[in-house]
Amino acid sequence: MSAPNTNVEKQKKNHVGPLVGIAAAVIFGVGIIFYWYAADVSDEPVGGAETEQVAPEATGAATETAN
């Protein structure tokens, strides 16, 4: 059995909104995946948390004393 009232133009009009929403969700999801991948492989910390590594100061000579 087929549908008794098929109006293809009306169906196109009714489906445009949901299809645009689905496409936007897919684009957003792919964008999040690319951002996640780019943040994972980069050397810079994410979120602006910059940490500076300081080398320990050299004393020049050993400070052990022999008794």
Side-chain angles (χ1 to χ4, degrees), residues 31-58:
I32 290 293
I33 290 171
F34 279 132
Y35 174 76
W36 179 34
Y37 178 73
D40 192 36
V41 297
S42 70
D43 293 333
E44 299 177 16
V46 178
E50 296 181 19
T51 58
E52 184 176 322
Q53 296 180 356
V54 180
E57 294 182 18

Side-chain angles (χ1 to χ4, degrees), residues 6-63:
T6 55
N7 186 351
V8 178
E9 294 302 318
K10 186 176 179 183
Q11 289 177 357
K12 282 183 187 178
K13 181 180 170 185
N14 289 339
H15 288 89
V16 168
L19 289 175
V20 169
I22 291 170
V26 168
I27 291 170
F28 179 75
V30 170
I32 290 293
I33 290 171
F34 279 132
Y35 174 76
W36 179 34
Y37 178 73
D40 192 36
V41 297
S42 70
D43 293 333
E44 299 177 16
V46 178
E50 296 181 19
T51 58
E52 184 176 322
Q53 296 180 356
V54 180
E57 294 182 18
T59 57
T63 56

